[in-house]
Amino acid sequence: MRLLRLPGVYRPQADTWLLARALADAALPRNPRVADICTGTGALAVTAARAGAAEVTAVDISRRAVATAWLNSRARGLPVELLRGDFREVLRDRTFDVVLSNPPYVPCADPDPARGRDRAWDAGFDGRSVLDDLCATLPTLLAPNGVALIVHSELCDEQRTLRLIRETGLKASTVARTLTTFGPVMRGRADWLEEAGLIAPGQRVEELVVIRADRIEQ
């Protein structure tokens, strides 16, 4: 998929396409209402709309990301709703059949990442500054029998994500994984990641995982 991308917007890469494949492989409600949280270029929102979603809402905190997603959806004639802001606020009191998210998950030394393009990937020392909030919010975002698919790195603790989701009463499982070499951001901070004990000496690959959460209604 060829996508427009304004400067500073996260470029779709291995994690994006792993999540897109998981979406294609998943058994989902028919004609779902879909939310794409941390949409970036809108790649996943476009994928969901093309796959037959009844409604797609894409959210990002970045003005440039929202503008980019608007351009990419409108260029394809897809009526994606674009919202800028914190997903916990702009999606309050709304529910969806499917929630997709490729959130920031790269560990960084700064617990409060600076404004600008670094917000697209920096997520605190453990890489979970967005993930933990997302896990906690899923029960209020998912409609009955709704499904969420979230992608992140093994460095962020796959088991913690599964546990946090299950603690909310949702079902959780890992449905996809792949090994990939470090991208530019990870390569640029590999020395710090080693010093922090987050990767092994010389490690330059990471495993990406897709976690599925289900709200099961009896």
Side-chain angles (χ1 to χ4, degrees):
M1 185 190 304
R2 299 186 66 178
L3 294 162
L4 301 169
R5 184 171 66 91
L6 295 179
V9 177
Y10 182 76
R11 176 176 60 84
Q13 46 195 298
D15 50 4
T16 311
W17 308 129
L18 180 66
L19 184 51
R21 290 194 297 272
L23 175 64
D25 293 341
L28 300 174
R30 293 187 61 186
N31 304 317
R33 294 164 297 143
V34 178
D36 176 21
I37 295 173
C38 305
T39 193
T41 60
L44 293 166
V46 167
T47 298
R50 280 178 156 180
E55 301 174 11
V56 180
T57 298
V59 181
D60 206 289
I61 201 167
S62 162
R63 286 187 177 86
R64 289 189 178 190
V66 170
T68 298
W70 186 90
L71 290 169
N72 284 317
S73 60
R74 296 310 185 270
R76 292 164 173 81
L78 300 171
V80 174
E81 177 187 20
L82 281 303
L83 299 176
R84 179 185 171 267
D86 186 319
F87 66 89
R88 293 168 297 181
E89 297 297 326
V90 300
L91 297 180
R92 180 177 293 179
D93 300 325
R94 297 180 62 177
T95 60
F96 301 87
D97 303 304
V98 178
V99 171
L100 307 172
S101 188
N102 182 4
Y105 59 74
V106 178
C108 65
D110 187 349
D112 185 21
R115 297 177 62 84
R117 66 175 189 172
D118 289 355
R119 290 185 303 174
W121 49 77
D122 281 354
F125 182 80
D126 59 3
R128 300 198 60 95
S129 63
V130 178
L131 274 167
D132 285 349
D133 287 339
L134 181 58
C135 291
T137 308
L138 285 179
T140 65
L141 291 174
L142 288 177
N145 298 311
V147 175
L149 295 169
I150 303 167
V151 65
H152 67 72
S153 169
E154 63 176 332
L155 302 185
C156 308
D157 193 346
E158 171 187 352
Q159 293 304 312
R160 177 176 172 84
T161 300
L162 293 169
R163 176 173 56 80
L164 290 177
I165 291 172
R166 289 167 183 160
E167 286 176 352
T168 70
L170 303 179
K171 179 181 176 182
S173 60
T174 303
V175 294
R177 58 178 75 242
T178 190
L179 283 174
T180 186
T181 56
F182 284 178
V185 174
M186 291 289 285
R187 287 197 303 270
R189 65 185 60 173
D191 289 343
W192 176 81
L193 291 168
E194 288 184 12
E195 293 172 2
L198 296 173
I199 62 173
Q203 179 181 340
R204 296 299 181 269
V205 297
E206 61 179 327
E207 185 173 49
L208 303 175
V209 297
V210 176
I211 306 295
R212 174 170 172 151
D214 288 82
R215 181 177 177 182
I216 306 298
E217 296 293 320
Q218 300 298 328

